Amino acid sequence: MQRTFREYFTITLKGMAMGAADVVPGVSGGTIAFITGIYQELIATISGVNLSLFKTWKKEGFKAMWKKLNGSFILALFTGILISIFTLMRLTNYLLEEHPVLIWSFFFGLILASVWFVARQIPKWNFKMIAALIAGAAFAYFIVSLAPSESTSSYWFLFIAGAIAVCAMILPGISGAFILVLLGAYKTITEAAQNFDIKTLGIVVLGAVFGLLSFSHILKWLFKHYSNITLAVLTGFIAGSLNKIWPWKKVLETEQYGEKIVIIKEASVLPWNFEGNAYLFPAIILMLSGFLLILILERVANQKPIQQNATNPDL
């Protein structure tokens, strides 16, 4: 695919949006990829990473291998993700600690609009689609309602945690950061990052690469053979995650990981039952802002509705 510099710069900006979402436990970078129109290209590109690329490099040269890899797309996207993680992580964490209601309100509006956006990609709804949506929502709601496990530093476990977390990261609606908290690996990994523990981080990265390459093939196959049902399940994933990012929460239990305090257990409450300033009016404004942002991104992405595979009409 031939792209201009401006188009690659736009992909980098989309990567920055994905990175900003991924550092927030409860928000998925996969959701951002979907609403910006690059999700299926991302999955197809990742699933195309295999040993045949080295054969192409050997026979036809690096340029042919890079083109087959869709390397410029990967480079632009992951550059944006890394820029966002290293520049916005501190700001995001500060805002979540100092102004949680306002920040979660914005994300709630954004994710709510994402449910509508993904659902629109399905040309025809029927009983199977509704059942798939409900199943996806129930699964996501169950996942985000679980209590985190005890922290562990086993290298084998960290490899598995990295693989599972990155799978969640590319699924719309499920946060990779939250999965690490859930598995009890968040503390170990964040401490390793702070202490520049290359061995621990390397094992997590290896697990993430393994999970990413494996899971992308599954997603690609599902989109090819069961496009509409897959979209319905993903819509459910996003809808089921809304409880996690509801702005008004009552904290029931916390745990401190070094200098970072992570909420272990909380309950959603109505704004008028919230302990503290509910910021109701600005919260509503930010929800609407998040919702409208999705409408703007949809126009920018100019994403065409995903066509159902004619030979595999979702049974």
Side-chain angles (χ1 to χ4, degrees), residues 78-95:
F78 280 87
T79 296
I81 291 174
L82 291 175
I83 289 173
S84 188
I85 288 175
F86 286 107
T87 59
L88 298 181
M89 181 178 287
R90 290 183 181 274
L91 176 61
T92 302
N93 289 336
Y94 168 79
L95 292 174

Side-chain angles (χ1 to χ4, degrees), residues 40 120-123 231 302-308:
Q40 291 202 53
R120 282 187 59 208
Q121 310 305 310
I122 302 174
L231 285 170
N302 194 25
Q303 182 179 1
K304 296 180 180 179
I306 298 169
Q307 298 297 322
Q308 183 176 341

Side-chain angles (χ1 to χ4, degrees), residues 73-140:
F73 170 81
I74 293 177
L75 179 62
L77 185 68
F78 280 87
T79 296
I81 291 174
L82 291 175
I83 289 173
S84 188
I85 288 175
F86 286 107
T87 59
L88 298 181
M89 181 178 287
R90 290 183 181 274
L91 176 61
T92 302
N93 289 336
Y94 168 79
L95 292 174
L96 286 172
E97 291 176 6
E98 299 297 326
H99 307 285
V101 171
L102 299 180
I103 298 305
W104 286 122
S105 296
F106 175 77
F107 279 120
F108 188 86
L110 188 147
I111 302 303
L112 183 63
S114 302
V115 176
W116 166 81
F117 175 84
V118 179
R120 282 187 59 208
Q121 310 305 310
I122 302 174
K124 184 179 180 180
W125 283 85
N126 54 35
F127 176 77
K128 287 184 179 180
M129 301 303 140
I130 294 173
L133 183 147
I134 294 173
F139 177 77

Side-chain angles (χ1 to χ4, degrees), residues 173-192:
I174 301 180
S175 163
F178 176 72
I179 293 297
L180 291 177
V181 174
L182 197 66
L183 293 173
Y186 189 87
K187 177 182 179 181
T188 302
I189 294 173
T190 53
E191 287 180 347

